[in-house]
Amino acid sequence: GPTWFMADEHGEYAAVGLRPGSYVVNFTGPWRSPWLDMWWDGADRESKAAALDIEPGVVLSEINAALSAPSTISGRVTDPDGQPHAGIGVGAYVRQDDAPGGWNYAASRNTDSNGEFTIRGLRAGDYRLSLSPPWSGDPKYPSQWWRGTLDESAAELVDVPVEGAVRIGDMA
């Protein structure tokens, strides 16, 4: 099972008492902090993390990470006349080579009464945005991908930087 070690006020830690074996290291911020977790060697998920082999009497150093703040995507959904569209689900899908089809669901938000949305907690990467009408359905506006295509592969990509906010134009 997992073994936890806490960093001191300087971010220093020592993982002592580990049995010989292969380990992956995950770094997380304090409880309820805004920081995104990360795996040693720059991986954003366990499946891509580099394993460390621990042998008796060997000391490993420089097993460090720099946590980053989450990024956001925000925008406004309108109808073709420029009127705000409330209750539209906007989903963000991130490109991940090891995910089925190369894309993985990241997060979503519904638009407010002004048609505005902000999707928070995102890692840096390329995203596709899906737009879905409220559960009650709206036959006038079918589910689609950003910029108005029904074909997922034709969706315009949104490039989200590290610790950045991306504001996209009106999505009619």
Side-chain angles (χ1 to χ4, degrees):
T3 303
W4 297 91
F5 298 95
M6 300 292 287
D8 65 19
E9 65 274 6
H10 305 289
E12 301 287 330
Y13 74 97
V16 295
L18 295 174
R19 294 178 184 210
S22 185
Y23 293 84
V24 290
V25 180
N26 178 249
F27 297 90
T28 61
W31 176 254
R32 299 171 93 44
S33 73
W35 307 109
L36 295 171
D37 69 322
M38 119 172 287
W39 296 84
W40 179 70
D41 208 19
D44 63 355
R45 56 192 173 280
E46 185 176 7
S47 64
K48 296 185 91 176
L52 295 170
D53 292 321
I54 304 297
E55 299 175 16
V58 175
V59 175
L60 299 177
S61 60
E62 301 302 317
I63 309 302
N64 303 319
L67 301 180
S68 62
S71 297
T72 64
I73 298 174
S74 62
R76 183 171 182 247
V77 178
T78 63
D79 67 17
D81 297 325
Q83 297 302 308
H85 232 322
I88 299 294
V90 181
Y93 294 81
V94 65
R95 184 190 315 256
Q96 288 183 338
D97 296 334
D98 58 348
W103 294 88
N104 205 12
Y105 170 81
S108 62
R109 284 287 180 252
N110 287 339
T111 57
D112 64 17
S113 60
N114 295 318
E116 299 277 339
F117 70 92
T118 299
I119 301 173
R120 301 180 192 289
L122 302 175
R123 296 181 181 279
D126 289 329
Y127 288 81
R128 288 179 175 163
L129 300 178
S130 67
L131 287 84
S132 302
W135 284 109
S136 60
D138 186 344
K140 188 174 178 184
Y141 301 108
S143 294
Q144 57 187 285
W145 295 89
W146 188 54
R147 288 207 188 251
T149 181
L150 300 177
D151 180 6
E152 178 182 358
S153 65
E156 185 172 320
L157 296 182
V158 178
D159 179 30
V160 175
V162 173
E163 299 180 29
V166 176
R167 173 82 183 166
I168 57 177
D170 285 354
M171 301 166 59

